[in-house]
Amino acid sequence: MKIGLDIMGGDFAPKATVLGAIEAAKILPEGQQLVLIGDKDVALSILQENNFSAENFEFVHTTEVIGMGEHPAKAVIKKPGSSISVGFQLLKDGGIDAFSSAGNTGAMLVGSVLSVKTIEGVIRPAMSTNVPKLTGGFGILVDVGANADCKPEYLPQFGVLGSLFAESVYGMVSPRVSLLNIGEEEEKGNALCQAVYPLMKENKNFNFVGNIEGRDLFSDHADVYVTDGFTGNVALKMAESFYVISLKKQIKDEFFARFNYEQYGGSPILGINAPVVVGHGISSPEAIKNMVLLSRDMAQSGLVEKIKNAFQ
Amino acid sequence: MKIGLDIMGGDFAPKATVLGAIEAAKILPEGQQLVLIGDKDVALSILQENNFSAENFEFVHTTEVIGMGEHPAKAVIKKPGSSISVGFQLLKDGGIDAFSSAGNTGAMLVGSVLSVKTIEGVIRPAMSTNVPKLTGGFGILVDVGANADCKPEYLPQFGVLGSLFAESVYGMVSPRVSLLNIGEEEEKGNALCQAVYPLMKENKNFNFVGNIEGRDLFSDHADVYVTDGFTGNVALKMAESFYVISLKKQIKDEFFARFNYEQYGGSPILGINAPVVVGHGISSPEAIKNMVLLSRDMAQSGLVEKIKNAFQ
């Protein structure tokens, strides 16, 4: 298996990404090869500084970089030689089996859809994040920003994607799928939720347990929380800010510690024809390592095939 | 001034409400009279138990109660003798100058619109909540649930309502009004936010400072955070759950303490022709006291007149 990593993506790239790649390489068993995509000379010099043999990696040298602030669609098309564009080309051609980057999220979404493409039957790919539960473990919030505006038929599909991800990658058994809403009862919510609820109730592809509210996101009411990408993104960033506040306040608590995005590696793009993970812009080496491992786990679990089967 | 309180509303009514009324009465200066609306006999017995003279209050005896789970519109119409319906009748007729209840939120909204009515020019009344800032003080999040679905033209009005509330009741000078969005740049967001941004930018009735994200809700980027009632309600309940978690974890910190809804009293209904506050269902006597004082502050500040002037 070949695991592609964009070493140019993220606020602290290429230093943080190469250091993360070293940590990942130490863990990856034989037969799982990390492919570093980006400026090879810079990578070699960081590896040398850290006394880590370049023989642990394959390299695909690239000369362009898509910046964090660039327009995603334009950048992907204008910069075919960028680490993100080259990574997706490799993924499409089978040169790598998984791809991850802590770079421009929009470019990662556009690159996914243009290269490996959306799985047939999936209307819109979605991104998820892990939200810790007070009782231990975590739930999967989907979508967290790929689709700011959603039609009702998208959300049951997010339920399928989230459920299969939770099951395949994290081994959750028959994950409880819920709809994030502003009341518990079936008829509650905005027009979107009112239209989505009956669709989710009749969907046979997951274990629907009804509505949850904002206050239930950290409890154990469900394992997958389905929402539109606008609400999901606001919720994700609020949760992130609580983690930052807990650090500032020097609160030592295992629950708050489990908010740390670093341990989850990043947000998978679900519903496309290959395993892709997008890391947080501020990714540390630890986060990069876990991003690589998550993309590996997605490839190893056969998640993409399972999603394809569900949408056949 | 006569300040009306529904003593039958809330999970712990009438005990918590009458105890809260006692605390409020101890603080209210001469000329500010609390009017207790509900079962007078029960109120008198609680007052007697607590050795507090009934002479501190006026009473309006009612015999019906609207339950927390009842359908708001149906309940208000079917139960004209309920404490909420009688309260709004008094408010409409000038028998009281402000009204508050920790009862059925939907019934409070319906009652407001049917009795004192929406201020001319206001499309939809909105509800707000106070969100603490890490740097001290708090911001105003509006709407937190009165309007699950919003048209673009509602949100600039929420900005006017929130700004005048912050200014009149809390003395904030030229409050910075922001739009809760999923990116900082003007063009970011869902279709609603993209349509709302230019409307807020051109609105001369408040000091617009642009978009904020979920992570900025607890920072000092703005003083008023405008959003649709769905997103606002999810955010409110997430914030509430963090307060509950901080209690469970026995985190002693002044910032987390400022999440305590009790100190803010409740959510005002903004944009109607009288001061109305809705308390949290689980309101304690402390919360009830502050709810009463908030409704008094709204009356005293002339907030309703100021809103009327803004929409003339």
Side-chain angles (χ1 to χ4, degrees):
Chain A
M1 182 191 295
K2 298 207 173 177
I3 307 159
L5 170 66
D6 167 19
I7 57 168
M8 311 310 283
D11 298 343
F12 307 119
K15 184 92 183 227
T17 47
V18 175
L19 293 181
I22 291 173
E23 296 310 311
K26 288 177 183 168
I27 294 171
L28 291 174
E30 216 167 321
Q32 295 183 0
Q33 176 71 55
L34 245 177
V35 180
L36 306 189
I37 303 157
D39 189 321
K40 187 176 177 181
D41 299 334
V42 173
L44 289 176
S45 107
I46 298 171
L47 289 172
Q48 198 165 24
E49 274 169 34
N50 289 276
N51 269 324
F52 199 78
S53 167
E55 308 232 322
N56 289 287
F57 306 100
E58 284 182 24
F59 295 88
V60 175
H61 182 64
T62 63
T63 51
E64 287 182 299
V65 176
I66 294 178
M68 297 300 266
E70 286 192 65
H71 187 283
K74 286 181 195 164
V76 167
I77 291 161
K78 271 191 186 166
K79 292 185 171 173
S82 66
S83 51
I84 286 181
S85 299
V86 169
F88 277 116
Q89 194 58 46
L90 285 166
L91 191 64
K92 186 187 172 188
D93 297 343
I96 53 177
D97 302 292
F99 182 47
S100 63
S101 171
N104 186 312
T105 302
M108 289 296 287
L109 278 164
V110 170
S112 295
V113 171
L114 291 181
S115 64
V116 298
K117 298 201 162 55
T118 305
I119 288 171
E120 219 182 302
V122 174
I123 311 171
R124 294 287 177 93
M127 294 180 71
S128 72
T129 199
N130 297 11
V131 181
K133 293 181 183 179
L134 260 173
T135 51
F138 52 83
I140 306 292
L141 180 66
V142 55
D143 178 35
V144 294
N147 308 279
D149 288 291
C150 288
K151 293 185 178 166
E153 55 270 31
Y154 299 1
L155 273 71
Q157 293 204 342
F158 297 168
V160 176
L161 298 174
S163 181
L164 286 172
F165 176 66
E167 203 167 53
S168 303
V169 174
Y170 295 115
M172 297 187 198
V173 179
S174 186
R176 293 162 297 169
V177 176
S178 62
L179 176 63
L180 179 57
N181 204 334
I182 58 171
E184 288 174 16
E185 303 83 358
E186 178 162 353
E187 69 281 3
K188 285 289 171 79
N190 57 6
L192 179 66
C193 285
Q194 288 173 355
V196 166
Y197 193 103
L199 299 179
M200 292 192 68
K201 202 172 161 183
E202 73 195 18
N203 194 304
K204 301 273 182 273
N205 282 308
F206 50 75
N207 172 20
F208 184 53
V209 296
N211 292 326
I212 60 140
E213 297 184 74
R215 67 168 66 95
D216 305 318
L217 272 176
F218 311 101
S219 66
D220 192 31
H221 284 62
D223 303 304
V224 176
Y225 321 112
V226 170
T227 187
D228 67 275
F230 184 87
T231 310
N233 191 270
V234 169
L236 162 67
K237 286 174 179 161
M238 277 185 74
E240 281 181 0
S241 75
F242 272 98
Y243 175 63
V244 173
I245 290 167
S246 77
L247 290 181
K248 272 191 194 157
K249 296 286 184 183
Q250 299 186 293
I251 293 167
K252 300 254 182 294
D253 183 276
E254 65 80 31
F255 170 68
F256 283 94
R258 281 189 288 116
F259 269 96
N260 185 353
Y261 75 94
E262 287 180 317
Q263 63 199 293
Y264 305 118
S267 289
I269 301 180
L270 302 170
I272 54 171
N273 283 300
V276 172
V277 181
V278 185
H280 202 301
I282 58 168
S283 282
S284 64
E286 174 74 9
I288 297 291
K289 177 193 82 180
N290 287 320
M291 177 175 78
V292 166
L293 296 177
L294 175 58
S295 74
R296 186 271 314 263
D297 292 345
M298 287 169 71
Q300 210 165 26
S301 69
L303 173 62
V304 171
E305 283 308 311
K306 288 174 190 171
I307 295 175
K308 279 186 190 170
N309 288 338
F311 283 94
Q312 257 181 353
Chain B
M1 182 191 296
K2 298 207 174 177
I3 306 159
L5 170 66
D6 167 21
I7 57 168
M8 311 310 282
D11 298 343
F12 308 120
K15 184 91 183 230
T17 47
V18 174
L19 293 180
I22 291 174
E23 295 310 311
K26 288 177 184 168
I27 293 172
L28 290 174
E30 214 166 323
Q32 296 183 358
Q33 176 72 55
L34 245 176
V35 180
L36 307 188
I37 303 157
D39 188 321
K40 187 176 177 180
D41 298 334
V42 172
L44 290 176
S45 108
I46 297 170
L47 289 172
Q48 196 164 26
E49 275 169 33
N50 289 276
N51 269 324
F52 199 77
S53 166
E55 308 233 321
N56 289 288
F57 305 100
E58 284 182 24
F59 295 87
V60 176
H61 182 64
T62 62
T63 50
E64 287 181 300
V65 176
I66 294 178
M68 298 300 266
E70 284 192 67
H71 186 284
K74 285 181 195 162
V76 167
I77 292 162
K78 270 192 187 165
K79 292 184 171 175
S82 65
S83 50
I84 286 181
S85 299
V86 169
F88 278 114
Q89 195 57 47
L90 284 166
L91 192 64
K92 185 186 172 189
D93 297 344
I96 53 178
D97 302 291
F99 181 47
S100 63
S101 171
N104 186 314
T105 302
M108 288 296 286
L109 279 165
V110 170
S112 296
V113 171
L114 291 181
S115 66
V116 297
K117 299 200 162 54
T118 305
I119 288 171
E120 219 182 302
V122 173
I123 311 170
R124 294 288 177 93
M127 294 179 72
S128 73
T129 199
N130 297 12
V131 180
K133 292 179 183 180
L134 259 173
T135 51
F138 51 82
I140 307 290
L141 179 66
V142 55
D143 178 36
V144 294
N147 308 280
D149 288 290
C150 287
K151 292 183 179 167
E153 55 270 32
Y154 299 1
L155 272 71
Q157 293 205 342
F158 297 169
V160 177
L161 298 174
S163 181
L164 287 172
F165 176 65
E167 204 167 52
S168 304
V169 174
Y170 295 115
M172 297 187 198
V173 179
S174 187
R176 294 162 296 169
V177 176
S178 61
L179 176 62
L180 180 57
N181 204 334
I182 58 171
E184 287 173 17
E185 303 84 359
E186 179 162 351
E187 69 281 3
K188 286 288 171 78
N190 56 7
L192 179 66
C193 285
Q194 288 173 356
V196 166
Y197 193 102
L199 300 179
M200 292 192 68
K201 203 173 161 183
E202 75 192 9
N203 195 303
K204 301 272 182 273
N205 283 308
F206 50 76
N207 173 19
F208 184 52
V209 294
N211 291 325
I212 59 141
E213 298 185 74
R215 66 166 69 93
D216 306 318
L217 273 175
F218 311 102
S219 65
D220 193 30
H221 284 60
D223 303 304
V224 177
Y225 321 111
V226 170
T227 188
D228 67 274
F230 184 87
T231 310
N233 190 270
V234 169
L236 162 67
K237 286 175 180 162
M238 275 185 74
E240 282 181 0
S241 76
F242 272 96
Y243 175 64
V244 172
I245 289 167
S246 76
L247 289 182
K248 272 191 192 155
K249 297 284 183 182
Q250 299 186 293
I251 294 168
K252 301 259 181 291
D253 184 276
E254 66 79 33
F255 170 68
F256 283 95
R258 281 188 289 118
F259 270 96
N260 186 353
Y261 76 95
E262 286 180 320
Q263 64 199 291
Y264 305 117
S267 290
I269 300 180
L270 302 170
I272 55 171
N273 283 299
V276 172
V277 181
V278 185
H280 201 302
I282 57 168
S283 283
S284 63
E286 174 72 9
I288 297 291
K289 177 194 81 180
N290 287 320
M291 176 175 79
V292 166
L293 296 178
L294 174 58
S295 74
R296 184 272 315 264
D297 291 345
M298 287 168 71
Q300 212 162 24
S301 69
L303 173 62
V304 169
E305 283 308 312
K306 289 174 188 171
I307 295 175
K308 277 185 192 171
N309 288 338
F311 284 94
Q312 254 179 359

